[in-house]
Amino acid sequence: MKVLVTGYSGQLGYDVVKCGNNRGLEMIGISSRDLDIIDKQGVFQYVTELEPDVIIHCAAYTAVDKAEDDKERCYDVNVNGTKYLAEAAKEIGSKFVYISTDYVLNGQGNEPFKETDALNPVSYYAYTKHEGEVIVQSILEDWFIVRISWVFGINGNNFIKTMLRLSESRDELNVVGDQFGSPTYTFDLSSLLIDMIQTECYGIYHASNEGFCSWAEFAQEIFKIANKSVKVNSISTEEYKTRAERPKNSRMSKQKLKDNGFDTLPTWKDALVRYIAELYQEGEVN
């Protein structure tokens, strides 16, 4: 099986390629340096010449706050780029995996969102990711849409690395405590995606590590595992102003995974222990 992975320079794309290679698949990871996905002709030529069996589309414009002022670029990458890749996938008959986000949900309430719940994105970034979902479903038949949240991996920046970096110079931090969701370790998610593409169980899925927490609780667990003496003060969303609105409820049901025989991911605490051990092994933390 030949698999094309966009966003190879990011956290998820990097781990998907690594996982697929370890599982004996032919993985081709590309970044924006290799292919500009907003170049329609370039995308069509590249994909039709390569003829992958599957495209896993991890590339995205993910600067949530910046997107509020950089709407044209955000739309080009997240909507047009997705459209061009989906059209090329249709031409060659390849399966398509679109990596989406918890941000497409409305972020209200306390219950986990089902895969079938109505969407109501609350930021411009979220709007473009929602549009990407719509486009994939309108163009293709053999598609997977996988919504993820609070991503962390070895290749790139994330909340955990930021917290550990700040712990070197700070002994007290304010962290939002009224936004709830599930962290997602790209190592664990990659294995699920490789399992998924070898089936025909198409549809919308939610995939993150099991269990829920707030950002403040996440930070506390990071410092506990890394043995860092940092006091975490839980603050409200209103006390931490951002350009774009964030969802307060990013809890997601994983029922679709279970219904189709896929293993859910390990708990986020288990994933965090393994990830921090990986960071120490790579020499990224002291």
Side-chain angles (χ1 to χ4, degrees):
M1 177 178 277
K2 185 190 294 185
V3 184
L4 174 63
V5 181
T6 67
Y8 178 55
S9 61
Q11 296 182 98
L12 180 57
Y14 179 85
D15 273 352
V16 168
V17 170
K18 187 175 181 180
C19 180
N21 282 331
N22 290 340
R23 301 266 288 270
L25 304 183
E26 182 183 353
M27 307 297 292
I28 300 97
I30 59 171
S31 70
S32 57
R33 293 186 296 273
D34 306 302
L35 177 67
D36 184 356
I37 63 170
I38 67 173
D39 173 5
K40 183 176 182 177
Q41 287 186 316
V43 168
F44 193 83
Q45 181 177 350
Y46 186 94
V47 172
T48 54
E49 288 181 359
L50 185 67
E51 290 190 325
D53 300 295
V54 185
I55 297 173
I56 302 179
H57 182 28
C58 302
Y61 184 113
T62 57
V64 179
D65 290 320
K66 188 178 178 182
E68 296 296 317
D69 301 305
D70 190 19
K71 292 182 177 179
E72 184 176 354
R73 177 66 182 172
C74 183
Y75 190 92
D76 266 347
V77 174
N78 291 349
V79 183
N80 290 335
T82 299
K83 179 183 178 182
Y84 303 153
L85 284 163
E87 288 173 342
K90 182 178 182 179
E91 179 69 19
I92 61 171
S94 68
K95 297 178 181 179
F96 196 89
V97 181
Y98 176 69
I99 303 300
S100 190
T101 170
D102 58 298
Y103 276 52
V104 301
L105 303 162
N106 69 24
Q108 298 175 3
N110 298 306
E111 293 300 314
F113 286 96
K114 301 181 182 69
E115 297 85 352
T116 54
D117 282 343
L119 305 183
N120 184 25
V122 295
S123 67
Y124 192 77
Y125 157 76
Y127 162 73
T128 63
K129 291 299 291 183
H130 173 239
E131 287 296 294
E133 288 195 13
V134 172
I135 281 170
V136 167
Q137 294 177 72
S138 66
I139 293 174
L140 298 165
E141 294 181 3
D142 300 341
W143 53 265
F144 304 90
I145 290 173
V146 182
R147 297 181 187 141
I148 63 177
S149 59
W150 302 20
V151 178
F152 63 93
I154 198 67
N155 189 52
N157 296 316
N158 55 58
F159 180 76
I160 299 169
K161 289 184 179 181
T162 298
M163 291 296 103
L164 291 174
R165 185 181 71 250
L166 290 173
S167 74
E168 299 300 317
S169 59
R170 307 271 291 278
D171 56 12
E172 189 171 344
L173 289 169
N174 295 333
V175 183
V176 172
D178 60 355
Q179 296 174 16
F180 294 88
S182 303
T184 307
Y185 186 16
T186 54
F187 178 87
D188 294 338
L189 177 60
S190 296
S191 183
L192 171 63
L193 294 177
I194 296 301
D195 287 342
M196 195 174 280
I197 62 174
Q198 297 180 80
T199 75
E200 295 181 356
C201 299
Y202 303 117
I204 296 173
Y205 292 88
H206 293 163
S208 58
N209 286 91
E210 289 297 287
F212 306 123
C213 62
S214 69
W215 286 108
E217 290 167 338
F218 192 17
Q220 288 168 343
E221 193 69 15
I222 291 165
F223 297 136
K224 176 183 174 183
I225 292 168
N227 198 28
K228 303 287 185 180
S229 297
V230 179
K231 180 184 178 183
V232 176
N233 300 315
S234 178
I235 64 171
S236 69
T237 297
E238 289 71 28
E239 291 175 278
Y240 186 76
K241 299 295 184 183
T242 56
R243 180 74 177 86
E245 185 178 344
R246 262 66 172 179
K248 285 192 174 182
N249 179 21
S250 289
R251 301 173 182 91
M252 296 189 293
S253 166
K254 318 295 170 40
Q255 192 59 47
K256 184 75 173 288
L257 288 177
K258 299 171 186 175
D259 289 346
N260 284 284
F262 294 114
D263 292 331
T264 54
L265 306 188
T267 66
W268 67 267
K269 289 185 178 181
D270 174 86
L272 183 57
V273 169
R274 288 179 286 118
Y275 178 64
I276 290 178
E278 185 180 11
L279 289 177
Y280 277 111
Q281 187 176 358
E282 295 290 326
E284 292 204 31
V285 292
N286 300 317

